[in-house]
Amino acid sequence: MKITKQLTVEAPIEKAFRVFTANMSTWWPKQHHIGKSPLKTCVVEPKVGGRWFEICEDDSQCDWGKVLAWDPPNRVMLAWQLNGQFAYDPSLITEVEVKFTALSATRTRVDFEHRDLDKIGTKGTVAEMDHGWGQILEAFSATAAA
């Protein structure tokens, strides 16, 4: 099972990539986190093997996954290591791949795919995640266009 989305962002490719990776906490919805304390920021370390994690308001950290591929400004692939209960599982890897294609100097196509979801659980869980990713990517698109 997989989730695929495609969107056009009103931003140059370099900005779209930077907003998605380096500025994730400017657009990631605060309610989408796993820590006990409210979300303060989320981080994608800019290298293969880098961590993808959240920092909560109490300064605790919760891993979400890691960076599997890093090719700015064209592509990033992240290991999503949250199970069907949205708890970190270091033995679980599903892939979130995001490709950026310049359509013009000011527009970028973003192709999003979250695959291997059969490892997580039910179709109901995947449907919930599909809805969540839709909201998350809308927030990204609006922030990148600003």
Side-chain angles (χ1 to χ4, degrees):
M1 290 184 281
K2 65 182 176 179
I3 296 168
T4 58
K5 307 270 184 203
Q6 185 179 87
L7 55 148
T8 300
V9 177
E10 299 298 326
I13 188 172
E14 293 83 4
K15 181 180 180 187
F17 185 89
R18 183 178 65 251
V19 169
F20 193 92
T21 58
N23 301 107
M24 188 175 278
S25 60
T26 63
W27 55 269
W28 190 271
K30 297 291 185 192
Q31 72 272 20
H32 289 280
H33 75 99
I34 62 172
K36 291 182 173 62
S37 177
L39 178 66
K40 179 166 63 173
T41 190
C42 40
V43 178
V44 176
E45 294 179 337
K47 61 182 179 180
V48 172
R51 292 173 62 211
W52 182 23
F53 63 101
E54 70 181 57
I55 301 173
C56 299
E57 288 182 3
D58 65 1
D59 290 325
S60 62
Q61 296 183 8
C62 299
D63 285 335
W64 295 353
K66 60 188 170 193
V67 179
L68 299 175
W70 186 259
D71 181 23
N74 303 303
R75 176 177 172 257
V76 63
M77 186 163 55
L78 305 167
W80 174 274
Q81 295 181 272
L82 302 181
N83 63 25
Q85 292 73 45
F86 297 98
Y88 178 71
D89 179 349
S91 68
L92 173 70
I93 292 181
T94 63
E95 295 175 345
V96 174
E97 184 172 24
V98 187
K99 295 178 183 177
F100 301 83
T101 304
L103 299 177
S104 72
T106 60
R107 298 179 80 218
T108 303
R109 187 182 74 226
V110 178
D111 294 292
F112 172 92
E113 184 173 294
H114 188 170
R115 56 184 167 257
D116 301 322
L117 294 174
D118 51 302
K119 296 178 182 178
I120 291 178
T122 68
K123 288 184 180 181
T125 302
V126 173
E128 179 184 343
M129 291 179 71
D130 185 46
H131 178 73
W133 277 122
Q135 292 176 325
I136 289 167
L137 292 171
E138 283 177 24
F140 156 70
S141 181
T143 302

